[in-house]
Amino acid sequence: QVQLVESGGGLVQTGGSLRLSCAASGRVEMGWFRQAPGKEREFVAAINWTGGGIYYTDSVKGRFTISRDNAKNTVYLQMNSLKPEDTAVYYCAADSNIIRVRVAPAFWGQGTQVTVSS
């Protein structure tokens, strides 16, 4: 029933930045996954409703920042110092529980392409 609409993907050079947005149709816990061609989908980051629980995969720590605006039911992923290995389709994910968002989210966005050139 929950709808997630993503935006903000694009093509950038190594070292560049992008900011992804995901707007939800209701109050949910939210996070981000990514999937590169031929690879399994990978957890990237998640944030709980209060903002007190924030989780990142090791490869993006120090470069990516997840945040949310609860008044807008929207989560953001600020991606800085981008590398070619960050190239993937990025998917917004949501569930009623932050742990389920990290391991088996019930709802998915449509995906947005992020491409980082060498």
Side-chain angles (χ1 to χ4, degrees), residues 39-100:
K39 304 294 184 180
E40 295 184 353
R41 192 166 296 188
E42 173 192 24
F43 171 77
V44 176
I47 184 170
N48 75 343
W49 181 256
T50 66
I54 299 176
Y55 311 90
Y56 298 102
T57 191
D58 286 345
S59 63
V60 308
K61 289 180 179 177
R63 300 187 299 120
F64 291 11
T65 302
I66 189 169
S67 61
R68 65 185 302 157
D69 183 340
N70 290 342
K72 299 179 180 178
N73 292 327
T74 298
V75 67
Y76 306 95
L77 187 67
Q78 179 67 47
M79 304 184 294
N80 298 327
S81 302
L82 283 162
K83 306 174 181 179
E85 52 261 45
D86 296 317
T87 295
V89 177
Y90 283 69
Y91 295 92
C92 179
D95 209 312
S96 61
N97 181 287
I98 189 64
I99 301 302
R100 290 197 59 83

Side-chain angles (χ1 to χ4, degrees), residues 102-115:
R102 294 174 63 191
V103 300
F107 307 103
W108 293 94
Q110 79 280 5
T112 185
Q113 177 70 47
V114 172
T115 302

